[in-house]
PDB file of all heavy atoms in Angstrom:
ATOM      1  N   GLN A 101      -7.599  -0.200 -22.510  1.00  0.00           N
ATOM      2  CA  GLN A 101      -8.606   0.079 -23.534  1.00  0.00           C
ATOM      3  C   GLN A 101      -9.019  -1.193 -24.228  1.00  0.00           C
ATOM      4  O   GLN A 101     -10.121  -1.265 -24.826  1.00  0.00           O
ATOM      5  CB  GLN A 101      -8.051   1.057 -24.549  1.00  0.00           C
ATOM      6  CG  GLN A 101      -7.926   2.488 -23.974  1.00  0.00           C
ATOM      7  CD  GLN A 101      -7.351   3.434 -25.007  1.00  0.00           C
ATOM      8  OE1 GLN A 101      -7.143   3.101 -26.168  1.00  0.00           O
ATOM      9  NE2 GLN A 101      -7.105   4.674 -24.586  1.00  0.00           N
ATOM     10  N   GLY A 102      -8.234  -2.195 -24.177  1.00  0.00           N
ATOM     11  CA  GLY A 102      -8.597  -3.479 -24.885  1.00  0.00           C
ATOM     12  C   GLY A 102      -8.168  -3.447 -26.361  1.00  0.00           C
ATOM     13  O   GLY A 102      -7.475  -2.519 -26.826  1.00  0.00           O
ATOM     14  N   TYR A 103      -8.601  -4.424 -27.110  1.00  0.00           N
ATOM     15  CA  TYR A 103      -8.244  -4.552 -28.530  1.00  0.00           C
ATOM     16  C   TYR A 103      -8.990  -3.474 -29.321  1.00  0.00           C
ATOM     17  O   TYR A 103     -10.093  -3.002 -28.934  1.00  0.00           O
ATOM     18  CB  TYR A 103      -8.519  -5.958 -29.036  1.00  0.00           C
ATOM     19  CG  TYR A 103      -7.686  -7.017 -28.423  1.00  0.00           C
ATOM     20  CD1 TYR A 103      -8.192  -7.773 -27.275  1.00  0.00           C
ATOM     21  CD2 TYR A 103      -6.397  -7.252 -28.856  1.00  0.00           C
ATOM     22  CE1 TYR A 103      -7.417  -8.713 -26.701  1.00  0.00           C
ATOM     23  CE2 TYR A 103      -5.616  -8.269 -28.253  1.00  0.00           C
ATOM     24  CZ  TYR A 103      -6.133  -8.977 -27.208  1.00  0.00           C
ATOM     25  OH  TYR A 103      -5.320  -9.920 -26.606  1.00  0.00           O
ATOM     26  N   ARG A 104      -8.479  -3.225 -30.542  1.00  0.00           N
ATOM     27  CA  ARG A 104      -9.081  -2.230 -31.383  1.00  0.00           C
ATOM     28  C   ARG A 104     -10.425  -2.708 -31.915  1.00  0.00           C
ATOM     29  O   ARG A 104     -10.616  -3.969 -32.109  1.00  0.00           O
ATOM     30  CB  ARG A 104      -8.183  -1.909 -32.606  1.00  0.00           C
ATOM     31  CG  ARG A 104      -6.915  -1.195 -32.201  1.00  0.00           C
ATOM     32  CD  ARG A 104      -6.052  -0.970 -33.433  1.00  0.00           C
ATOM     33  NE  ARG A 104      -5.764  -2.129 -34.170  1.00  0.00           N
ATOM     34  CZ  ARG A 104      -5.142  -2.168 -35.326  1.00  0.00           C
ATOM     35  NH1 ARG A 104      -4.724  -1.079 -35.919  1.00  0.00           N
ATOM     36  NH2 ARG A 104      -4.907  -3.373 -35.937  1.00  0.00           N
ATOM     37  N   ALA A 105     -11.328  -1.841 -32.205  1.00  0.00           N
ATOM     38  CA  ALA A 105     -12.664  -2.262 -32.678  1.00  0.00           C
ATOM     39  C   ALA A 105     -12.487  -2.921 -34.075  1.00  0.00           C
ATOM     40  O   ALA A 105     -13.268  -3.846 -34.388  1.00  0.00           O
ATOM     41  CB  ALA A 105     -13.560  -1.051 -32.824  1.00  0.00           C
ATOM     42  N   GLU A 106     -11.477  -2.545 -34.848  1.00  0.00           N
ATOM     43  CA  GLU A 106     -11.321  -3.188 -36.122  1.00  0.00           C
ATOM     44  C   GLU A 106     -10.913  -4.619 -35.999  1.00  0.00           C
ATOM     45  O   GLU A 106     -11.353  -5.499 -36.765  1.00  0.00           O
ATOM     46  CB  GLU A 106     -10.193  -2.444 -36.905  1.00  0.00           C
ATOM     47  CG  GLU A 106     -10.608  -1.001 -37.317  1.00  0.00           C
ATOM     48  CD  GLU A 106     -10.345   0.000 -36.189  1.00  0.00           C
ATOM     49  OE1 GLU A 106      -9.954  -0.443 -35.110  1.00  0.00           O
ATOM     50  OE2 GLU A 106     -10.551   1.207 -36.428  1.00  0.00           O
ATOM     51  N   ASP A 107     -10.099  -4.914 -34.981  1.00  0.00           N
ATOM     52  CA  ASP A 107      -9.660  -6.324 -34.750  1.00  0.00           C
ATOM     53  C   ASP A 107     -10.850  -7.190 -34.295  1.00  0.00           C
ATOM     54  O   ASP A 107     -10.989  -8.302 -34.735  1.00  0.00           O
ATOM     55  CB  ASP A 107      -8.546  -6.396 -33.647  1.00  0.00           C
ATOM     56  CG  ASP A 107      -7.309  -5.705 -34.150  1.00  0.00           C
ATOM     57  OD1 ASP A 107      -7.039  -5.667 -35.335  1.00  0.00           O
ATOM     58  OD2 ASP A 107      -6.509  -5.243 -33.236  1.00  0.00           O
ATOM     59  N   VAL A 108     -11.701  -6.584 -33.490  1.00  0.00           N
ATOM     60  CA  VAL A 108     -12.896  -7.326 -33.013  1.00  0.00           C
ATOM     61  C   VAL A 108     -13.896  -7.608 -34.210  1.00  0.00           C
ATOM     62  O   VAL A 108     -14.407  -8.694 -34.339  1.00  0.00           O
ATOM     63  CB  VAL A 108     -13.599  -6.584 -31.891  1.00  0.00           C
ATOM     64  CG1 VAL A 108     -14.879  -7.304 -31.477  1.00  0.00           C
ATOM     65  CG2 VAL A 108     -12.689  -6.386 -30.699  1.00  0.00           C
ATOM     66  N   ALA A 109     -14.023  -6.530 -35.042  1.00  0.00           N
ATOM     67  CA  ALA A 109     -14.888  -6.699 -36.231  1.00  0.00           C
ATOM     68  C   ALA A 109     -14.428  -7.792 -37.166  1.00  0.00           C
ATOM     69  O   ALA A 109     -15.135  -8.581 -37.737  1.00  0.00           O
ATOM     70  CB  ALA A 109     -15.063  -5.408 -36.939  1.00  0.00           C
ATOM     71  N   GLN A 110     -13.028  -7.797 -37.357  1.00  0.00           N
ATOM     72  CA  GLN A 110     -12.457  -8.805 -38.236  1.00  0.00           C
ATOM     73  C   GLN A 110     -12.656 -10.187 -37.629  1.00  0.00           C
ATOM     74  O   GLN A 110     -12.997 -11.128 -38.441  1.00  0.00           O
ATOM     75  CB  GLN A 110     -10.969  -8.514 -38.402  1.00  0.00           C
ATOM     76  CG  GLN A 110     -10.276  -9.486 -39.370  1.00  0.00           C
ATOM     77  CD  GLN A 110      -8.821  -9.092 -39.525  1.00  0.00           C
ATOM     78  OE1 GLN A 110      -8.279  -8.178 -38.937  1.00  0.00           O
ATOM     79  NE2 GLN A 110      -8.127  -9.850 -40.424  1.00  0.00           N
ATOM     80  N   ALA A 111     -12.446 -10.326 -36.382  1.00  0.00           N
ATOM     81  CA  ALA A 111     -12.712 -11.654 -35.767  1.00  0.00           C
ATOM     82  C   ALA A 111     -14.160 -12.075 -35.880  1.00  0.00           C
ATOM     83  O   ALA A 111     -14.497 -13.268 -36.101  1.00  0.00           O
ATOM     84  CB  ALA A 111     -12.325 -11.593 -34.280  1.00  0.00           C
ATOM     85  N   ARG A 112     -15.089 -11.105 -35.773  1.00  0.00           N
ATOM     86  CA  ARG A 112     -16.496 -11.397 -35.962  1.00  0.00           C
ATOM     87  C   ARG A 112     -16.811 -11.859 -37.377  1.00  0.00           C
ATOM     88  O   ARG A 112     -17.605 -12.852 -37.609  1.00  0.00           O
ATOM     89  CB  ARG A 112     -17.381 -10.192 -35.656  1.00  0.00           C
ATOM     90  CG  ARG A 112     -18.858 -10.427 -35.788  1.00  0.00           C
ATOM     91  CD  ARG A 112     -19.338 -11.463 -34.822  1.00  0.00           C
ATOM     92  NE  ARG A 112     -20.723 -11.880 -35.091  1.00  0.00           N
ATOM     93  CZ  ARG A 112     -21.400 -12.747 -34.379  1.00  0.00           C
ATOM     94  NH1 ARG A 112     -20.789 -13.378 -33.332  1.00  0.00           N
ATOM     95  NH2 ARG A 112     -22.643 -13.085 -34.679  1.00  0.00           N
ATOM     96  N   TYR A 167     -12.776 -14.540 -31.274  1.00  0.00           N
ATOM     97  CA  TYR A 167     -13.719 -13.500 -31.187  1.00  0.00           C
ATOM     98  C   TYR A 167     -14.054 -13.184 -29.705  1.00  0.00           C
ATOM     99  O   TYR A 167     -14.063 -12.001 -29.326  1.00  0.00           O
ATOM    100  CB  TYR A 167     -15.015 -13.813 -31.987  1.00  0.00           C
ATOM    101  CG  TYR A 167     -16.098 -12.786 -31.770  1.00  0.00           C
ATOM    102  CD1 TYR A 167     -15.963 -11.459 -32.251  1.00  0.00           C
ATOM    103  CD2 TYR A 167     -17.199 -13.076 -30.947  1.00  0.00           C
ATOM    104  CE1 TYR A 167     -16.960 -10.547 -32.080  1.00  0.00           C
ATOM    105  CE2 TYR A 167     -18.221 -12.127 -30.737  1.00  0.00           C
ATOM    106  CZ  TYR A 167     -18.090 -10.841 -31.323  1.00  0.00           C
ATOM    107  OH  TYR A 167     -19.082  -9.935 -31.132  1.00  0.00           O
ATOM    108  N   LEU A 170     -11.041 -11.399 -28.096  1.00  0.00           N
ATOM    109  CA  LEU A 170     -10.849  -9.978 -28.481  1.00  0.00           C
ATOM    110  C   LEU A 170     -11.995  -9.099 -27.915  1.00  0.00           C
ATOM    111  O   LEU A 170     -11.784  -7.951 -27.580  1.00  0.00           O
ATOM    112  CB  LEU A 170     -10.893  -9.818 -30.022  1.00  0.00           C
ATOM    113  CG  LEU A 170      -9.713 -10.470 -30.724  1.00  0.00           C
ATOM    114  CD1 LEU A 170      -9.806 -10.380 -32.250  1.00  0.00           C
ATOM    115  CD2 LEU A 170      -8.413  -9.766 -30.299  1.00  0.00           C
TER     116      LEU A 170
END
Side-chain angles (χ1 to χ4, degrees):
Q101 291 179 4
Y103 294 97
R104 295 180 302 175
E106 295 83 357
D107 294 335
V108 177
Q110 183 179 4
R112 180 63 190 181
Y167 172 70
L170 293 177

